[in-house]
Amino acid sequence: MNKITAAITAVGAYVPDYVLSNQVLETMVDTNDEWITSRTGIKERRILKDKDKGTSFLAIKAAQDLLQKSGTKPEDIDMVLLATATPDMPVAATAVYVASQIGAVNAFAYDLQAACSSFLYGMSTASAYIQSGRYKKVLLVGADKMSSIIDYTDRATCIIFGDGAGAVLFEPNEEGYGLQDEYLRSDGIGREYLKIDAGGSILPASEETVANKQHYVFQDGKTVFKYAVSNMADVSEKIMNRNNLSHDDVDWLIAHQANKRIIDATASRMNLDESKVLVNIEKYGNTTSATLPLLLSDFEHQFKKGDNLVFASFGGGFTWGSIYLKWAYDKK
């Protein structure tokens, strides 16, 4: 019997219609297009303007896109895993609602939160469920409504983040395609540098926390940038060395879209040609849990069966890692 690996067999995505461009941000905070573009690579981001819709709306749309394009029946899905840093509610798991709304009546579901590494960690989790042999179809969705936790008077953060969702389907494979290896890391030193102070068990919501804007994202940009550059590049190099991959062997770098300079530093450490480095940060900004699947969706038509993909991410906590995956299909 051949070894079972977990392969991605379908991809879906959704981004809201409203475009928040750098030019619009210039009217909101003291910044400009040249400054934002040169430091981040971001030109615009998508925002879910409807206040009555949350992360679940984005996730459902992405999942439905995947189901429609792949012809997958929702009742055949065994599990729905939602990678997100912005659940609809603090307690009721958003994944459960998403599963019910898409008709995945035979699936169990839960949320996974590791900041910007949530989807990467979710890939590891989904793969483990598939490789166990107990589950055949695991739907992994990465979705975030970052606009719900961003202070649009804070130019340090409001220029970076956007809303969006992407989804992938993991299924068993016996031909050697799918997830090959992973190198996942974390370090609690990051807790102070990228966080939301209030709303948790240490500092519950109060009039004071709302007045002090402690429910918005705080980021020490210089420190986070320094850690992200070194750690994302480090794990990407390690996954290549561990699997005897040269820069010629890697077909695509699927890197978290937080900052173009971080992506470039990672690609440089891997000695990759620019043509192999997938980037869409200029269109969406940092969509946190959605960046990796949005890349897969945008560039799916370029992937060939057997292509070597290296994923890399870095997020608050700190959390980071790299995954090596062999692509399993040619897009029809």
Side-chain angles (χ1 to χ4, degrees):
M1 181 175 169
N2 293 335
K3 178 186 174 184
I4 295 174
T5 52
I8 292 175
T9 59
V11 177
Y14 176 79
V15 291
D17 293 330
Y18 179 78
V19 176
L20 177 58
S21 66
N22 290 349
Q23 286 73 25
V24 174
L25 278 172
E26 288 177 3
T27 69
M28 299 165 61
V29 290
D30 182 16
T31 191
N32 61 72
D33 174 63
E34 191 279 329
W35 193 94
I36 297 171
T37 304
S38 63
R39 283 162 179 78
T40 68
I42 302 168
K43 284 288 188 183
E44 56 190 41
R45 58 294 289 142
R46 300 299 185 95
I47 303 295
L48 182 58
K49 297 288 279 185
D50 192 330
K51 293 180 180 178
D52 296 326
K53 293 187 171 87
T55 293
S56 62
F57 174 80
L58 302 169
I60 289 164
K61 287 285 192 180
Q64 289 173 335
D65 181 52
L66 180 150
L67 294 172
Q68 185 271 321
K69 289 197 301 188
S70 66
T72 303
K73 296 178 181 177
E75 58 270 24
D76 290 341
I77 294 172
D78 300 310
M79 173 189 178
V80 176
L81 185 62
L82 177 63
T84 186
T86 55
D88 285 1
M89 304 173 186
V91 175
T94 306
V96 177
Y97 179 71
V98 171
S100 295
Q101 291 299 112
I102 65 172
V105 293
N106 295 311
F108 73 103
Y110 62 89
D111 297 352
L112 190 154
Q113 207 282 77
C116 291
S117 300
S118 296
F119 190 85
L120 191 81
Y121 282 20
M123 290 176 66
S124 171
T125 306
S127 174
Y129 276 106
I130 292 292
Q131 288 179 306
S132 74
R134 289 197 294 267
Y135 305 97
K136 303 297 184 188
K137 293 181 187 290
V138 175
L139 178 65
L140 170 62
V141 184
D144 271 304
K145 185 183 178 183
M146 292 304 294
S147 61
S148 66
I149 56 172
I150 296 301
D151 176 6
Y152 284 92
T153 65
D154 175 15
R155 68 175 182 173
T157 55
C158 73
I159 65 169
I160 298 169
F161 295 97
D163 303 338
V168 300
L169 185 66
F170 275 96
E171 295 186 89
N173 186 282
E174 294 185 2
E175 300 176 276
Y177 302 113
L179 198 146
Q180 306 294 309
D181 195 13
E182 61 183 49
Y183 188 71
L184 308 179
R185 310 298 295 158
S186 62
D187 187 343
I189 194 174
R191 184 173 162 117
E192 293 305 307
Y193 301 116
L194 179 50
K195 61 180 178 176
I196 293 177
D197 276 322
S201 58
I202 292 177
L203 191 60
S206 67
E207 288 184 16
E208 185 178 7
T209 63
V210 173
N212 291 338
K213 297 187 174 183
Q214 289 174 282
H215 295 269
Y216 293 123
V217 169
F218 163 80
Q219 176 171 276
D220 179 339
K222 288 183 179 179
T223 303
V224 172
F225 180 84
K226 181 181 72 173
Y227 274 93
V229 165
S230 61
N231 286 318
M232 259 180 66
D234 182 55
V235 291
S236 301
E237 186 180 44
K238 276 189 168 66
I239 205 89
M240 287 176 66
N241 291 340
R242 203 157 77 175
N243 291 277
N244 298 314
L245 297 171
S246 73
H247 63 274
D248 291 327
D249 298 320
V250 176
D251 294 294
W252 307 103
L253 172 63
I254 316 294
H256 172 53
Q257 306 288 291
N259 185 298
K260 181 64 164 54
R261 291 185 293 169
I262 298 173
I263 299 167
D264 290 343
T266 302
S268 177
R269 180 82 74 87
M270 298 168 71
N271 196 23
L272 285 187
D273 186 81
E274 190 178 346
S275 63
K276 296 183 174 185
V277 184
L278 302 187
V279 178
N280 60 10
I281 191 172
E282 74 282 356
K283 294 194 296 182
Y284 308 130
N286 181 354
T287 54
T288 305
S289 307
T291 65
L292 298 181
L294 281 174
L295 277 174
L296 293 179
S297 176
D298 279 2
F299 294 96
E300 181 189 16
H301 62 285
Q302 294 188 28
F303 303 152
K304 299 288 187 291
K305 189 174 183 178
D307 276 1
N308 290 320
L309 277 60
V310 173
F311 293 77
S313 193
F314 183 89
F318 291 131
T319 61
W320 70 97
S322 184
I323 282 176
Y324 164 38
L325 178 138
K326 275 190 174 293
W327 196 248
Y329 64 93
D330 295 315
K331 187 166 171 30
K332 296 172 184 175

